[in-house]
Amino acid sequence: MYIENGWIKFPLDGSTYLGQDSDVAKGLASWRNTPTLLESALILHNGWVVKIHGVGEYWQSDVYETKFLEGKSKLVKRRIERQIDHDNQAFIFKQSREKQHEFFFSMNPGEFDGQYVYQTLSQKGQWFIAELNLVKNKCNWIISDSKL
Amino acid sequence: MAVSIVWSLTNGGSAISGSTDLGNLSNGANTTAKEIFIRHNGSNSITSAGIFIREFSGTYLGARTAAADFTEILAWGDGTTANSFGGLQINMKRDQPSNTFDTAAWPTYSSKAPSSGKGNTFRTGVGDDESNPITILSSTGATANGTIQAGSTPNVSFQLRIAVPSEEDTLGIRHFETVLTYSFTS
């Protein structure tokens, strides 16, 4: 299984769904029309891999820009999103290596090596969003009241 | 999937080709409002749709620099006096059943975002960067604020105009770039 640009989702039943950009463009792959309750999911673009782990509701979105008078859109951000489903505290860890960034949800602040990057607190229903900024060539994360 | 955007001057019309001439202006005057229609070919709605401006990235034909022009257009919008106020303005208040834009929604020095933001002025912190676009509101024909429906018609539409401050004293061509930003999920 290899794709260069797109997304991969891993549902709870062990199946795998691929959303290669070229297939999405042809209408042969769709995030919306495939399961969104997942064990994990990841996005890829030009060597970057950003993945979120943990059973939950996932979403994926791309941000584009189009200059006035131009029809062609430019991909500027690619996001993978997971709804926070913890009533109280959860710890979100980040493990990074060059262009690969992975985020893990855990109830235990000592479960993974290194420091957690965020501690949720009564944020059930909000969304944790890992964002790959292709203009600034970096990965960051945000918390949002809704999926984007 | 990269969605293709069509900018046109009529609902469902041909894509605008070449530049759009807003005319020559004297100090203290506004260009004729130009109605701009937007549609896309995505299979689903696009969301978080908004407009922002930035420094011109094409071949510069002005009298100074693209950076100076961008700074100036924002300064016009930031104007702290009636004579220094101007800039790029947007009107998204299309009234029904008249199907016309409410002239009272155009910004003024004393109200830079009238009609609860259905009129607005591009200025520092407002539509001057991809992080703070002016949201395309439902009053433009969008199904919700920031959400532009799939399909060739009806399109969303809004009006744009440029106001030149009364005290502007430098003649010449200005360049800046208008950009639509949006999110899409396949």
Side-chain angles (χ1 to χ4, degrees):
Chain A
M1 170 179 39
Y2 174 77
I3 65 173
E4 185 175 1
N5 298 323
W7 44 257
I8 304 175
K9 51 177 30 175
F10 300 94
L12 280 56
D13 62 1
S15 58
T16 303
Y17 289 86
L18 307 182
Q20 184 152 272
D21 282 358
S22 56
D23 288 337
V24 170
K26 296 172 186 171
L28 300 177
S30 165
W31 178 277
R32 295 170 184 267
N33 297 333
T34 47
T36 55
L37 180 62
L38 308 175
E39 285 188 350
S40 62
L42 60 89
I43 49 176
L44 308 100
H45 194 84
N46 288 348
W48 284 90
V49 180
V50 181
K51 185 173 185 178
I52 301 179
H53 300 259
V55 175
E57 190 73 21
Y58 282 72
W59 191 247
Q60 192 273 328
S61 67
D62 290 333
V63 179
Y64 293 91
E65 289 181 359
T66 306
K67 291 189 280 189
F68 181 58
L69 298 183
E70 292 188 4
K72 188 175 181 182
S73 296
K74 176 186 175 185
L75 177 64
V76 294
K77 294 177 183 174
R78 172 155 284 176
R79 301 175 178 135
I80 187 72
E81 315 178 15
R82 180 188 183 279
Q83 191 170 37
I84 297 170
D85 53 8
H86 304 79
D87 285 321
N88 201 342
Q89 291 184 348
F91 299 91
I92 303 170
F93 290 83
K94 179 182 181 183
Q95 293 183 344
S96 302
R97 188 183 65 199
E98 297 179 347
K99 286 185 163 184
Q100 183 164 332
H101 299 261
E102 298 190 55
F103 296 88
F104 300 82
F105 280 68
S106 173
M107 302 304 292
N108 178 2
E111 182 169 353
F112 295 93
D113 291 337
Q115 277 289 327
Y116 54 86
V117 295
Y118 191 74
Q119 177 183 355
T120 68
L121 188 63
S122 302
Q123 291 173 277
K124 187 175 183 179
Q126 295 185 3
W127 288 76
F128 174 80
I129 298 169
E131 183 176 86
L132 181 55
N133 189 316
L134 304 170
V135 176
K136 297 178 179 175
N137 217 29
K138 69 176 188 179
C139 172
N140 64 308
W141 57 269
I142 56 174
I143 303 290
S144 173
D145 287 341
S146 59
K147 59 188 178 185
L148 300 177
Chain B
M1 171 190 169
V3 174
S4 292
I5 302 294
V6 176
W7 308 74
S8 64
L9 296 175
T10 58
N11 183 58
S14 303
I16 302 169
S17 59
S19 61
T20 299
D21 188 353
L22 296 176
N24 297 316
L25 283 187
S26 301
N27 293 19
N30 304 318
T31 58
T32 300
K34 184 73 77 174
E35 186 172 0
I36 305 294
F37 293 77
I38 293 177
R39 66 182 185 273
H40 65 88
N41 70 346
S43 52
N44 308 299
S45 297
I46 62 174
T47 59
S48 304
I51 302 285
F52 70 94
I53 59 174
R54 65 186 173 199
E55 185 177 317
F56 184 66
S57 63
T59 303
Y60 185 71
L61 300 173
R64 300 182 302 177
T65 66
D69 287 358
F70 182 55
T71 298
E72 183 182 54
I73 194 80
L74 294 179
W76 287 0
D78 292 338
T80 55
T81 65
N83 287 339
S84 64
F85 175 71
L88 179 65
Q89 303 174 346
I90 189 168
N91 185 340
M92 295 185 277
K93 193 171 186 299
R94 181 192 283 279
D95 288 337
Q96 299 298 347
S98 65
N99 202 32
T100 57
F101 286 90
D102 184 355
T103 55
W106 284 112
T108 63
Y109 158 65
S110 59
S111 181
K112 295 183 178 180
S115 301
S116 300
K118 290 177 182 172
N120 218 327
T121 307
F122 291 81
R123 59 194 189 278
T124 301
V126 180
D128 71 338
D129 185 79
E130 53 90 15
S131 65
N132 57 30
I134 294 178
T135 298
I136 294 179
L137 302 176
S138 59
S139 53
T140 65
T143 50
N145 290 345
T147 301
I148 301 178
Q149 59 275 14
S152 58
T153 188
N155 308 157
V156 303
S157 74
F158 49 82
Q159 288 187 325
L160 291 173
R161 74 178 187 185
I162 294 173
V164 178
S166 300
E167 67 180 24
E168 177 57 38
D169 59 3
T170 305
L171 292 171
I173 294 171
R174 266 73 163 179
H175 283 311
F176 61 90
E177 202 160 271
T178 305
V179 182
L180 172 72
T181 177
Y182 63 90
S183 294
F184 182 76
T185 296
S186 61

